[in-house]
């Protein structure tokens, strides 16, 4: 399910992109499965079909979906998306590590905090939440 926040400063199409990527990562939209049609998703979200078309264009540009002429859009390689998201998280972790170092925190304390956060959300050993 995609939730749109009209108070969010990001454009609606970006929120749609993020929502669809989340559904892909969670396995709701499986690899090579057909995406909802532009018209049906626009009706479901009560937004303009052009907004959905723009979101699909962005997802295709990112390699998250692919289009088959006359058949529609399909979910692309989810593992590639997962790897890209890991890179984003790695960048955030690096920024947090720099901030922690700036506060005088040592590596062991930083790692302990990361482990504690992982336990709170029940991360599995393989890195995937189930």
């Amino acid at each position: 399910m995609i939730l749109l926040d009209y108070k969010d400063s990001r454009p609606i199409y970006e929120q749609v992109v993020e929502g669809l990527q989340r559904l892909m990562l969670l396995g709701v939209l499986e690899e090579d499965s057909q995406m909802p049609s532009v018209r049906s998703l626009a009706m479901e979200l009560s937004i303009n079909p052009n907004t959905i078309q723009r979101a699909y264009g962005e997802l295709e540009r990112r390699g998250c979906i692919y289009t088959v002429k006359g058949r529609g859009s399909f979910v692309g390689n989810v593992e590639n998306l997962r790897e890209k998201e890991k890179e984003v998280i790695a960048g955030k972790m690096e920024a947090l590590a720099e901030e922690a170092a700036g506060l005088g925190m040592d590596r062991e304390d930083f790692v302990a905090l990361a482990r504690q956060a992982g336990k709170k959300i029940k991360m599995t050993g393989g890195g995937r939440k189930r």
Side-chain angles (χ1 to χ4, degrees):
M1 177 178 210
I2 300 173
L3 298 175
L4 301 176
D5 181 0
Y6 293 98
K7 294 179 183 175
D8 192 325
S9 63
R10 294 175 303 150
I12 298 297
Y13 86 93
E14 287 182 9
Q15 293 181 48
V16 172
V17 167
E18 183 181 290
L20 290 170
Q21 285 182 322
R22 187 177 61 254
L23 292 174
M24 290 173 196
L25 291 169
L26 291 172
V28 175
L29 294 173
E30 296 177 350
E31 194 168 319
D32 295 321
S33 66
Q34 189 164 12
M35 297 287 291
S37 72
V38 168
R39 185 170 291 150
S40 68
L41 188 54
M43 285 178 51
E44 181 181 323
L45 297 175
S46 300
I47 59 176
N48 190 309
N50 292 333
T51 303
I52 301 298
Q53 190 62 50
R54 185 169 181 188
Y56 277 21
E58 179 62 21
L59 286 167
E60 189 161 12
R61 188 188 69 72
R62 293 181 186 183
C64 297
I65 66 172
Y66 60 93
T67 301
V68 177
K69 201 127 182 110
R71 296 222 22 227
S73 297
F74 296 82
V75 177
N77 187 330
V78 177
E79 202 52 46
N80 286 343
L81 176 59
R82 187 168 277 114
E83 288 304 314
K84 288 176 186 174
E85 289 298 312
K86 283 182 184 178
E87 289 173 16
V88 170
I89 291 170
K92 290 177 181 177
M93 289 293 293
E94 189 173 319
L96 283 172
E98 287 178 14
E99 187 177 340
L103 294 173
M105 185 181 293
D106 65 19
R107 181 178 298 146
E108 289 76 24
D109 288 342
F110 180 76
V111 171
L113 285 175
R115 288 184 200 279
Q116 186 178 9
K119 287 178 183 175
K120 284 183 180 179
I121 61 165
K122 298 180 181 141
M123 290 178 74
T124 63
R128 291 173 103 174
K129 186 177 174 185
R130 295 200 187 243

PDB file of all heavy atoms in Angstrom, residues 10-48:
ATOM      1  N   ARG A  10       8.214  16.773  -0.799  1.00  0.00           N
ATOM      2  CA  ARG A  10       8.588  16.053  -2.028  1.00  0.00           C
ATOM      3  C   ARG A  10       7.393  15.960  -2.976  1.00  0.00           C
ATOM      4  O   ARG A  10       6.256  15.821  -2.534  1.00  0.00           O
ATOM      5  CB  ARG A  10       9.057  14.631  -1.703  1.00  0.00           C
ATOM      6  CG  ARG A  10      10.341  14.593  -0.906  1.00  0.00           C
ATOM      7  CD  ARG A  10      10.688  13.178  -0.499  1.00  0.00           C
ATOM      8  NE  ARG A  10       9.575  12.616   0.253  1.00  0.00           N
ATOM      9  CZ  ARG A  10       9.268  11.327   0.281  1.00  0.00           C
ATOM     10  NH1 ARG A  10       9.975  10.453  -0.387  1.00  0.00           N
ATOM     11  NH2 ARG A  10       8.244  10.898   0.996  1.00  0.00           N
ATOM     12  N   PRO A  11       7.679  15.976  -4.276  1.00  0.00           N
ATOM     13  CA  PRO A  11       6.593  15.813  -5.242  1.00  0.00           C
ATOM     14  C   PRO A  11       5.895  14.456  -5.063  1.00  0.00           C
ATOM     15  O   PRO A  11       6.504  13.485  -4.605  1.00  0.00           O
ATOM     16  CB  PRO A  11       7.297  15.879  -6.598  1.00  0.00           C
ATOM     17  CG  PRO A  11       8.601  16.545  -6.343  1.00  0.00           C
ATOM     18  CD  PRO A  11       8.972  16.207  -4.924  1.00  0.00           C
ATOM     19  N   ILE A  12       4.640  14.401  -5.461  1.00  0.00           N
ATOM     20  CA  ILE A  12       3.843  13.170  -5.333  1.00  0.00           C
ATOM     21  C   ILE A  12       4.496  12.016  -6.088  1.00  0.00           C
ATOM     22  O   ILE A  12       4.556  10.891  -5.577  1.00  0.00           O
ATOM     23  CB  ILE A  12       2.391  13.395  -5.828  1.00  0.00           C
ATOM     24  CG1 ILE A  12       1.700  14.459  -4.961  1.00  0.00           C
ATOM     25  CG2 ILE A  12       1.603  12.097  -5.837  1.00  0.00           C
ATOM     26  CD1 ILE A  12       1.546  14.087  -3.507  1.00  0.00           C
ATOM     27  N   TYR A  13       5.019  12.277  -7.297  1.00  0.00           N
ATOM     28  CA  TYR A  13       5.596  11.175  -8.070  1.00  0.00           C
ATOM     29  C   TYR A  13       6.778  10.549  -7.327  1.00  0.00           C
ATOM     30  O   TYR A  13       6.978   9.333  -7.390  1.00  0.00           O
ATOM     31  CB  TYR A  13       5.983  11.622  -9.489  1.00  0.00           C
ATOM     32  CG  TYR A  13       7.353  12.225  -9.626  1.00  0.00           C
ATOM     33  CD1 TYR A  13       8.445  11.435  -9.976  1.00  0.00           C
ATOM     34  CD2 TYR A  13       7.571  13.582  -9.415  1.00  0.00           C
ATOM     35  CE1 TYR A  13       9.703  11.982 -10.108  1.00  0.00           C
ATOM     36  CE2 TYR A  13       8.820  14.134  -9.553  1.00  0.00           C
ATOM     37  CZ  TYR A  13       9.888  13.332  -9.898  1.00  0.00           C
ATOM     38  OH  TYR A  13      11.138  13.876 -10.028  1.00  0.00           O
ATOM     39  N   GLU A  14       7.562  11.358  -6.596  1.00  0.00           N
ATOM     40  CA  GLU A  14       8.681  10.808  -5.827  1.00  0.00           C
ATOM     41  C   GLU A  14       8.175   9.935  -4.681  1.00  0.00           C
ATOM     42  O   GLU A  14       8.786   8.915  -4.361  1.00  0.00           O
ATOM     43  CB  GLU A  14       9.565  11.926  -5.281  1.00  0.00           C
ATOM     44  CG  GLU A  14      10.413  12.592  -6.328  1.00  0.00           C
ATOM     45  CD  GLU A  14      11.314  13.674  -5.762  1.00  0.00           C
ATOM     46  OE1 GLU A  14      11.418  13.809  -4.519  1.00  0.00           O
ATOM     47  OE2 GLU A  14      11.913  14.398  -6.573  1.00  0.00           O
ATOM     48  N   GLN A  15       7.071  10.324  -4.073  1.00  0.00           N
ATOM     49  CA  GLN A  15       6.481   9.510  -3.014  1.00  0.00           C
ATOM     50  C   GLN A  15       5.982   8.189  -3.586  1.00  0.00           C
ATOM     51  O   GLN A  15       6.115   7.136  -2.951  1.00  0.00           O
ATOM     52  CB  GLN A  15       5.344  10.262  -2.334  1.00  0.00           C
ATOM     53  CG  GLN A  15       5.799  11.484  -1.561  1.00  0.00           C
ATOM     54  CD  GLN A  15       4.650  12.192  -0.872  1.00  0.00           C
ATOM     55  OE1 GLN A  15       3.829  11.553  -0.209  1.00  0.00           O
ATOM     56  NE2 GLN A  15       4.576  13.504  -1.037  1.00  0.00           N
ATOM     57  N   VAL A  16       5.429   8.228  -4.792  1.00  0.00           N
ATOM     58  CA  VAL A  16       4.970   7.004  -5.458  1.00  0.00           C
ATOM     59  C   VAL A  16       6.165   6.105  -5.760  1.00  0.00           C
ATOM     60  O   VAL A  16       6.123   4.893  -5.512  1.00  0.00           O
ATOM     61  CB  VAL A  16       4.169   7.336  -6.744  1.00  0.00           C
ATOM     62  CG1 VAL A  16       3.858   6.074  -7.528  1.00  0.00           C
ATOM     63  CG2 VAL A  16       2.892   8.088  -6.395  1.00  0.00           C
ATOM     64  N   VAL A  17       7.242   6.686  -6.276  1.00  0.00           N
ATOM     65  CA  VAL A  17       8.460   5.919  -6.558  1.00  0.00           C
ATOM     66  C   VAL A  17       8.949   5.228  -5.291  1.00  0.00           C
ATOM     67  O   VAL A  17       9.218   4.025  -5.285  1.00  0.00           O
ATOM     68  CB  VAL A  17       9.569   6.827  -7.153  1.00  0.00           C
ATOM     69  CG1 VAL A  17      10.920   6.121  -7.152  1.00  0.00           C
ATOM     70  CG2 VAL A  17       9.203   7.276  -8.560  1.00  0.00           C
ATOM     71  N   GLU A  18       9.057   5.992  -4.199  1.00  0.00           N
ATOM     72  CA  GLU A  18       9.530   5.430  -2.936  1.00  0.00           C
ATOM     73  C   GLU A  18       8.608   4.314  -2.441  1.00  0.00           C
ATOM     74  O   GLU A  18       9.064   3.263  -1.987  1.00  0.00           O
ATOM     75  CB  GLU A  18       9.626   6.529  -1.892  1.00  0.00           C
ATOM     76  CG  GLU A  18      10.174   6.051  -0.567  1.00  0.00           C
ATOM     77  CD  GLU A  18      10.229   7.164   0.458  1.00  0.00           C
ATOM     78  OE1 GLU A  18      11.062   8.068   0.293  1.00  0.00           O
ATOM     79  OE2 GLU A  18       9.419   7.117   1.405  1.00  0.00           O
ATOM     80  N   GLY A  19       7.301   4.535  -2.546  1.00  0.00           N
ATOM     81  CA  GLY A  19       6.340   3.524  -2.107  1.00  0.00           C
ATOM     82  C   GLY A  19       6.434   2.241  -2.917  1.00  0.00           C
ATOM     83  O   GLY A  19       6.405   1.138  -2.356  1.00  0.00           O
ATOM     84  N   LEU A  20       6.580   2.371  -4.226  1.00  0.00           N
ATOM     85  CA  LEU A  20       6.694   1.185  -5.073  1.00  0.00           C
ATOM     86  C   LEU A  20       8.013   0.450  -4.825  1.00  0.00           C
ATOM     87  O   LEU A  20       8.040  -0.783  -4.782  1.00  0.00           O
ATOM     88  CB  LEU A  20       6.554   1.567  -6.545  1.00  0.00           C
ATOM     89  CG  LEU A  20       5.139   1.993  -6.963  1.00  0.00           C
ATOM     90  CD1 LEU A  20       5.141   2.593  -8.363  1.00  0.00           C
ATOM     91  CD2 LEU A  20       4.172   0.810  -6.879  1.00  0.00           C
ATOM     92  N   GLN A  21       9.093   1.199  -4.620  1.00  0.00           N
ATOM     93  CA  GLN A  21      10.371   0.553  -4.307  1.00  0.00           C
ATOM     94  C   GLN A  21      10.273  -0.214  -2.995  1.00  0.00           C
ATOM     95  O   GLN A  21      10.791  -1.331  -2.887  1.00  0.00           O
ATOM     96  CB  GLN A  21      11.496   1.585  -4.219  1.00  0.00           C
ATOM     97  CG  GLN A  21      11.939   2.099  -5.561  1.00  0.00           C
ATOM     98  CD  GLN A  21      13.084   3.083  -5.458  1.00  0.00           C
ATOM     99  OE1 GLN A  21      13.135   3.894  -4.537  1.00  0.00           O
ATOM    100  NE2 GLN A  21      13.994   3.023  -6.395  1.00  0.00           N
ATOM    101  N   ARG A  22       9.622   0.367  -2.008  1.00  0.00           N
ATOM    102  CA  ARG A  22       9.444  -0.309  -0.717  1.00  0.00           C
ATOM    103  C   ARG A  22       8.672  -1.620  -0.915  1.00  0.00           C
ATOM    104  O   ARG A  22       9.029  -2.653  -0.356  1.00  0.00           O
ATOM    105  CB  ARG A  22       8.738   0.611   0.271  1.00  0.00           C
ATOM    106  CG  ARG A  22       8.664   0.064   1.679  1.00  0.00           C
ATOM    107  CD  ARG A  22       8.026   1.027   2.683  1.00  0.00           C
ATOM    108  NE  ARG A  22       6.648   1.348   2.330  1.00  0.00           N
ATOM    109  CZ  ARG A  22       6.231   2.508   1.814  1.00  0.00           C
ATOM    110  NH1 ARG A  22       7.069   3.483   1.599  1.00  0.00           N
ATOM    111  NH2 ARG A  22       4.970   2.709   1.523  1.00  0.00           N
ATOM    112  N   LEU A  23       7.613  -1.576  -1.736  1.00  0.00           N
ATOM    113  CA  LEU A  23       6.827  -2.786  -1.995  1.00  0.00           C
ATOM    114  C   LEU A  23       7.664  -3.843  -2.712  1.00  0.00           C
ATOM    115  O   LEU A  23       7.498  -5.038  -2.475  1.00  0.00           O
ATOM    116  CB  LEU A  23       5.578  -2.442  -2.807  1.00  0.00           C
ATOM    117  CG  LEU A  23       4.523  -1.598  -2.083  1.00  0.00           C
ATOM    118  CD1 LEU A  23       3.399  -1.209  -3.042  1.00  0.00           C
ATOM    119  CD2 LEU A  23       3.965  -2.339  -0.871  1.00  0.00           C
ATOM    120  N   MET A  24       8.575  -3.412  -3.567  1.00  0.00           N
ATOM    121  CA  MET A  24       9.474  -4.344  -4.256  1.00  0.00           C
ATOM    122  C   MET A  24      10.426  -4.990  -3.254  1.00  0.00           C
ATOM    123  O   MET A  24      10.632  -6.212  -3.269  1.00  0.00           O
ATOM    124  CB  MET A  24      10.272  -3.623  -5.343  1.00  0.00           C
ATOM    125  CG  MET A  24       9.449  -3.189  -6.520  1.00  0.00           C
ATOM    126  SD  MET A  24      10.475  -2.185  -7.629  1.00  0.00           S
ATOM    127  CE  MET A  24       9.198  -1.417  -8.630  1.00  0.00           C
ATOM    128  N   LEU A  25      11.015  -4.180  -2.384  1.00  0.00           N
ATOM    129  CA  LEU A  25      11.967  -4.690  -1.396  1.00  0.00           C
ATOM    130  C   LEU A  25      11.305  -5.627  -0.395  1.00  0.00           C
ATOM    131  O   LEU A  25      11.929  -6.565   0.089  1.00  0.00           O
ATOM    132  CB  LEU A  25      12.650  -3.534  -0.663  1.00  0.00           C
ATOM    133  CG  LEU A  25      13.620  -2.710  -1.512  1.00  0.00           C
ATOM    134  CD1 LEU A  25      14.037  -1.452  -0.778  1.00  0.00           C
ATOM    135  CD2 LEU A  25      14.832  -3.538  -1.900  1.00  0.00           C
ATOM    136  N   LEU A  26      10.037  -5.375  -0.087  1.00  0.00           N
ATOM    137  CA  LEU A  26       9.309  -6.231   0.852  1.00  0.00           C
ATOM    138  C   LEU A  26       8.796  -7.518   0.199  1.00  0.00           C
ATOM    139  O   LEU A  26       8.300  -8.402   0.884  1.00  0.00           O
ATOM    140  CB  LEU A  26       8.126  -5.466   1.453  1.00  0.00           C
ATOM    141  CG  LEU A  26       8.484  -4.322   2.401  1.00  0.00           C
ATOM    142  CD1 LEU A  26       7.229  -3.530   2.777  1.00  0.00           C
ATOM    143  CD2 LEU A  26       9.173  -4.862   3.654  1.00  0.00           C
ATOM    144  N   GLY A  27       8.895  -7.590  -1.131  1.00  0.00           N
ATOM    145  CA  GLY A  27       8.435  -8.790  -1.834  1.00  0.00           C
ATOM    146  C   GLY A  27       6.969  -8.765  -2.197  1.00  0.00           C
ATOM    147  O   GLY A  27       6.437  -9.750  -2.713  1.00  0.00           O
ATOM    148  N   VAL A  28       6.287  -7.657  -1.930  1.00  0.00           N
ATOM    149  CA  VAL A  28       4.881  -7.540  -2.321  1.00  0.00           C
ATOM    150  C   VAL A  28       4.786  -7.504  -3.843  1.00  0.00           C
ATOM    151  O   VAL A  28       3.920  -8.142  -4.437  1.00  0.00           O
ATOM    152  CB  VAL A  28       4.239  -6.278  -1.693  1.00  0.00           C
ATOM    153  CG1 VAL A  28       2.824  -6.077  -2.196  1.00  0.00           C
ATOM    154  CG2 VAL A  28       4.271  -6.379  -0.174  1.00  0.00           C
ATOM    155  N   LEU A  29       5.692  -6.743  -4.462  1.00  0.00           N
ATOM    156  CA  LEU A  29       5.827  -6.731  -5.923  1.00  0.00           C
ATOM    157  C   LEU A  29       7.051  -7.576  -6.243  1.00  0.00           C
ATOM    158  O   LEU A  29       8.185  -7.163  -6.009  1.00  0.00           O
ATOM    159  CB  LEU A  29       5.999  -5.301  -6.449  1.00  0.00           C
ATOM    160  CG  LEU A  29       4.818  -4.361  -6.275  1.00  0.00           C
ATOM    161  CD1 LEU A  29       5.184  -2.943  -6.690  1.00  0.00           C
ATOM    162  CD2 LEU A  29       3.630  -4.856  -7.101  1.00  0.00           C
ATOM    163  N   GLU A  30       6.819  -8.778  -6.746  1.00  0.00           N
ATOM    164  CA  GLU A  30       7.907  -9.721  -6.983  1.00  0.00           C
ATOM    165  C   GLU A  30       8.580  -9.473  -8.323  1.00  0.00           C
ATOM    166  O   GLU A  30       7.961  -8.958  -9.264  1.00  0.00           O
ATOM    167  CB  GLU A  30       7.373 -11.151  -6.922  1.00  0.00           C
ATOM    168  CG  GLU A  30       6.845 -11.523  -5.557  1.00  0.00           C
ATOM    169  CD  GLU A  30       6.255 -12.920  -5.521  1.00  0.00           C
ATOM    170  OE1 GLU A  30       6.087 -13.539  -6.596  1.00  0.00           O
ATOM    171  OE2 GLU A  30       5.957 -13.393  -4.418  1.00  0.00           O
ATOM    172  N   GLU A  31       9.844  -9.880  -8.405  1.00  0.00           N
ATOM    173  CA  GLU A  31      10.618  -9.730  -9.620  1.00  0.00           C
ATOM    174  C   GLU A  31       9.897 -10.355 -10.812  1.00  0.00           C
ATOM    175  O   GLU A  31       9.357 -11.463 -10.715  1.00  0.00           O
ATOM    176  CB  GLU A  31      11.984 -10.389  -9.428  1.00  0.00           C
ATOM    177  CG  GLU A  31      12.989 -10.024 -10.485  1.00  0.00           C
ATOM    178  CD  GLU A  31      14.395 -10.450 -10.111  1.00  0.00           C
ATOM    179  OE1 GLU A  31      14.775 -10.292  -8.937  1.00  0.00           O
ATOM    180  OE2 GLU A  31      15.084 -10.933 -11.009  1.00  0.00           O
ATOM    181  N   ASP A  32       9.865  -9.640 -11.922  1.00  0.00           N
ATOM    182  CA  ASP A  32       9.228 -10.032 -13.180  1.00  0.00           C
ATOM    183  C   ASP A  32       7.709 -10.082 -13.125  1.00  0.00           C
ATOM    184  O   ASP A  32       7.066 -10.494 -14.090  1.00  0.00           O
ATOM    185  CB  ASP A  32       9.779 -11.372 -13.707  1.00  0.00           C
ATOM    186  CG  ASP A  32      11.256 -11.275 -14.074  1.00  0.00           C
ATOM    187  OD1 ASP A  32      11.658 -10.231 -14.630  1.00  0.00           O
ATOM    188  OD2 ASP A  32      12.001 -12.230 -13.800  1.00  0.00           O
ATOM    189  N   SER A  33       7.106  -9.664 -12.002  1.00  0.00           N
ATOM    190  CA  SER A  33       5.648  -9.594 -11.951  1.00  0.00           C
ATOM    191  C   SER A  33       5.191  -8.294 -12.602  1.00  0.00           C
ATOM    192  O   SER A  33       5.926  -7.306 -12.648  1.00  0.00           O
ATOM    193  CB  SER A  33       5.129  -9.680 -10.515  1.00  0.00           C
ATOM    194  OG  SER A  33       5.529  -8.544  -9.771  1.00  0.00           O
ATOM    195  N   GLN A  34       3.978  -8.292 -13.101  1.00  0.00           N
ATOM    196  CA  GLN A  34       3.466  -7.117 -13.790  1.00  0.00           C
ATOM    197  C   GLN A  34       3.073  -6.043 -12.784  1.00  0.00           C
ATOM    198  O   GLN A  34       2.452  -6.314 -11.760  1.00  0.00           O
ATOM    199  CB  GLN A  34       2.265  -7.472 -14.661  1.00  0.00           C
ATOM    200  CG  GLN A  34       1.848  -6.322 -15.557  1.00  0.00           C
ATOM    201  CD  GLN A  34       0.934  -6.762 -16.682  1.00  0.00           C
ATOM    202  OE1 GLN A  34       0.434  -7.874 -16.686  1.00  0.00           O
ATOM    203  NE2 GLN A  34       0.738  -5.880 -17.643  1.00  0.00           N
ATOM    204  N   MET A  35       3.465  -4.819 -13.109  1.00  0.00           N
ATOM    205  CA  MET A  35       3.103  -3.660 -12.300  1.00  0.00           C
ATOM    206  C   MET A  35       1.635  -3.330 -12.561  1.00  0.00           C
ATOM    207  O   MET A  35       1.108  -3.656 -13.625  1.00  0.00           O
ATOM    208  CB  MET A  35       3.962  -2.452 -12.687  1.00  0.00           C
ATOM    209  CG  MET A  35       5.456  -2.620 -12.435  1.00  0.00           C
ATOM    210  SD  MET A  35       5.862  -2.543 -10.699  1.00  0.00           S
ATOM    211  CE  MET A  35       5.526  -0.823 -10.366  1.00  0.00           C
ATOM    212  N   PRO A  36       0.982  -2.663 -11.608  1.00  0.00           N
ATOM    213  CA  PRO A  36      -0.391  -2.215 -11.874  1.00  0.00           C
ATOM    214  C   PRO A  36      -0.387  -1.259 -13.073  1.00  0.00           C
ATOM    215  O   PRO A  36       0.597  -0.554 -13.301  1.00  0.00           O
ATOM    216  CB  PRO A  36      -0.780  -1.467 -10.599  1.00  0.00           C
ATOM    217  CG  PRO A  36       0.214  -1.869  -9.566  1.00  0.00           C
ATOM    218  CD  PRO A  36       1.446  -2.278 -10.282  1.00  0.00           C
ATOM    219  N   SER A  37      -1.467  -1.238 -13.809  1.00  0.00           N
ATOM    220  CA  SER A  37      -1.532  -0.307 -14.933  1.00  0.00           C
ATOM    221  C   SER A  37      -1.514   1.120 -14.401  1.00  0.00           C
ATOM    222  O   SER A  37      -1.901   1.380 -13.257  1.00  0.00           O
ATOM    223  CB  SER A  37      -2.802  -0.540 -15.756  1.00  0.00           C
ATOM    224  OG  SER A  37      -3.934  -0.081 -15.048  1.00  0.00           O
ATOM    225  N   VAL A  38      -1.058   2.026 -15.242  1.00  0.00           N
ATOM    226  CA  VAL A  38      -0.996   3.442 -14.860  1.00  0.00           C
ATOM    227  C   VAL A  38      -2.382   3.916 -14.435  1.00  0.00           C
ATOM    228  O   VAL A  38      -2.556   4.551 -13.393  1.00  0.00           O
ATOM    229  CB  VAL A  38      -0.442   4.291 -16.024  1.00  0.00           C
ATOM    230  CG1 VAL A  38      -0.637   5.777 -15.766  1.00  0.00           C
ATOM    231  CG2 VAL A  38       1.026   3.967 -16.258  1.00  0.00           C
ATOM    232  N   ARG A  39      -3.369   3.586 -15.225  1.00  0.00           N
ATOM    233  CA  ARG A  39      -4.727   4.045 -14.956  1.00  0.00           C
ATOM    234  C   ARG A  39      -5.271   3.478 -13.643  1.00  0.00           C
ATOM    235  O   ARG A  39      -5.854   4.208 -12.837  1.00  0.00           O
ATOM    236  CB  ARG A  39      -5.647   3.670 -16.126  1.00  0.00           C
ATOM    237  CG  ARG A  39      -7.050   4.229 -15.971  1.00  0.00           C
ATOM    238  CD  ARG A  39      -7.851   4.061 -17.232  1.00  0.00           C
ATOM    239  NE  ARG A  39      -7.294   4.947 -18.246  1.00  0.00           N
ATOM    240  CZ  ARG A  39      -7.319   4.712 -19.549  1.00  0.00           C
ATOM    241  NH1 ARG A  39      -7.888   3.635 -20.007  1.00  0.00           N
ATOM    242  NH2 ARG A  39      -6.793   5.556 -20.393  1.00  0.00           N
ATOM    243  N   SER A  40      -5.077   2.182 -13.411  1.00  0.00           N
ATOM    244  CA  SER A  40      -5.634   1.575 -12.195  1.00  0.00           C
ATOM    245  C   SER A  40      -4.939   2.110 -10.937  1.00  0.00           C
ATOM    246  O   SER A  40      -5.605   2.367  -9.927  1.00  0.00           O
ATOM    247  CB  SER A  40      -5.547   0.051 -12.243  1.00  0.00           C
ATOM    248  OG  SER A  40      -4.208  -0.383 -12.174  1.00  0.00           O
ATOM    249  N   LEU A  41      -3.613   2.297 -11.000  1.00  0.00           N
ATOM    250  CA  LEU A  41      -2.905   2.828  -9.833  1.00  0.00           C
ATOM    251  C   LEU A  41      -3.291   4.283  -9.581  1.00  0.00           C
ATOM    252  O   LEU A  41      -3.464   4.702  -8.433  1.00  0.00           O
ATOM    253  CB  LEU A  41      -1.395   2.688 -10.005  1.00  0.00           C
ATOM    254  CG  LEU A  41      -0.537   3.023  -8.793  1.00  0.00           C
ATOM    255  CD1 LEU A  41      -0.968   2.232  -7.560  1.00  0.00           C
ATOM    256  CD2 LEU A  41       0.931   2.776  -9.096  1.00  0.00           C
ATOM    257  N   ALA A  42      -3.479   5.043 -10.653  1.00  0.00           N
ATOM    258  CA  ALA A  42      -3.906   6.440 -10.509  1.00  0.00           C
ATOM    259  C   ALA A  42      -5.282   6.505  -9.849  1.00  0.00           C
ATOM    260  O   ALA A  42      -5.513   7.333  -8.963  1.00  0.00           O
ATOM    261  CB  ALA A  42      -3.928   7.128 -11.864  1.00  0.00           C
ATOM    262  N   MET A  43      -6.174   5.618 -10.258  1.00  0.00           N
ATOM    263  CA  MET A  43      -7.510   5.599  -9.651  1.00  0.00           C
ATOM    264  C   MET A  43      -7.427   5.188  -8.187  1.00  0.00           C
ATOM    265  O   MET A  43      -8.087   5.779  -7.326  1.00  0.00           O
ATOM    266  CB  MET A  43      -8.430   4.654 -10.424  1.00  0.00           C
ATOM    267  CG  MET A  43      -8.886   5.233 -11.750  1.00  0.00           C
ATOM    268  SD  MET A  43      -9.929   4.120 -12.716  1.00  0.00           S
ATOM    269  CE  MET A  43     -11.156   3.641 -11.551  1.00  0.00           C
ATOM    270  N   GLU A  44      -6.605   4.177  -7.883  1.00  0.00           N
ATOM    271  CA  GLU A  44      -6.464   3.689  -6.512  1.00  0.00           C
ATOM    272  C   GLU A  44      -5.927   4.784  -5.589  1.00  0.00           C
ATOM    273  O   GLU A  44      -6.374   4.919  -4.448  1.00  0.00           O
ATOM    274  CB  GLU A  44      -5.520   2.490  -6.488  1.00  0.00           C
ATOM    275  CG  GLU A  44      -5.327   1.881  -5.122  1.00  0.00           C
ATOM    276  CD  GLU A  44      -4.369   0.704  -5.156  1.00  0.00           C
ATOM    277  OE1 GLU A  44      -4.387  -0.069  -6.130  1.00  0.00           O
ATOM    278  OE2 GLU A  44      -3.597   0.570  -4.190  1.00  0.00           O
ATOM    279  N   LEU A  45      -4.978   5.574  -6.090  1.00  0.00           N
ATOM    280  CA  LEU A  45      -4.365   6.625  -5.280  1.00  0.00           C
ATOM    281  C   LEU A  45      -5.064   7.975  -5.425  1.00  0.00           C
ATOM    282  O   LEU A  45      -4.688   8.943  -4.771  1.00  0.00           O
ATOM    283  CB  LEU A  45      -2.883   6.781  -5.653  1.00  0.00           C
ATOM    284  CG  LEU A  45      -1.993   5.565  -5.395  1.00  0.00           C
ATOM    285  CD1 LEU A  45      -0.589   5.813  -5.929  1.00  0.00           C
ATOM    286  CD2 LEU A  45      -1.962   5.215  -3.915  1.00  0.00           C
ATOM    287  N   SER A  46      -6.059   8.025  -6.296  1.00  0.00           N
ATOM    288  CA  SER A  46      -6.804   9.259  -6.566  1.00  0.00           C
ATOM    289  C   SER A  46      -5.886  10.401  -7.005  1.00  0.00           C
ATOM    290  O   SER A  46      -5.958  11.516  -6.486  1.00  0.00           O
ATOM    291  CB  SER A  46      -7.621   9.696  -5.341  1.00  0.00           C
ATOM    292  OG  SER A  46      -8.542   8.700  -4.993  1.00  0.00           O
ATOM    293  N   ILE A  47      -5.007  10.077  -7.948  1.00  0.00           N
ATOM    294  CA  ILE A  47      -4.119  11.102  -8.495  1.00  0.00           C
ATOM    295  C   ILE A  47      -4.125  11.008 -10.021  1.00  0.00           C
ATOM    296  O   ILE A  47      -4.638  10.052 -10.598  1.00  0.00           O
ATOM    297  CB  ILE A  47      -2.673  10.987  -7.953  1.00  0.00           C
ATOM    298  CG1 ILE A  47      -2.055   9.630  -8.272  1.00  0.00           C
ATOM    299  CG2 ILE A  47      -2.635  11.257  -6.460  1.00  0.00           C
ATOM    300  CD1 ILE A  47      -0.613   9.501  -7.841  1.00  0.00           C
ATOM    301  N   ASN A  48      -3.544  11.994 -10.655  1.00  0.00           N
ATOM    302  CA  ASN A  48      -3.510  12.084 -12.104  1.00  0.00           C
ATOM    303  C   ASN A  48      -2.656  10.952 -12.697  1.00  0.00           C
ATOM    304  O   ASN A  48      -1.551  10.692 -12.210  1.00  0.00           O
ATOM    305  CB  ASN A  48      -2.911  13.450 -12.481  1.00  0.00           C
ATOM    306  CG  ASN A  48      -3.046  13.761 -13.939  1.00  0.00           C
ATOM    307  OD1 ASN A  48      -2.687  12.972 -14.793  1.00  0.00           O
ATOM    308  ND2 ASN A  48      -3.539  14.965 -14.221  1.00  0.00           N
TER     309      ASN A  48
END
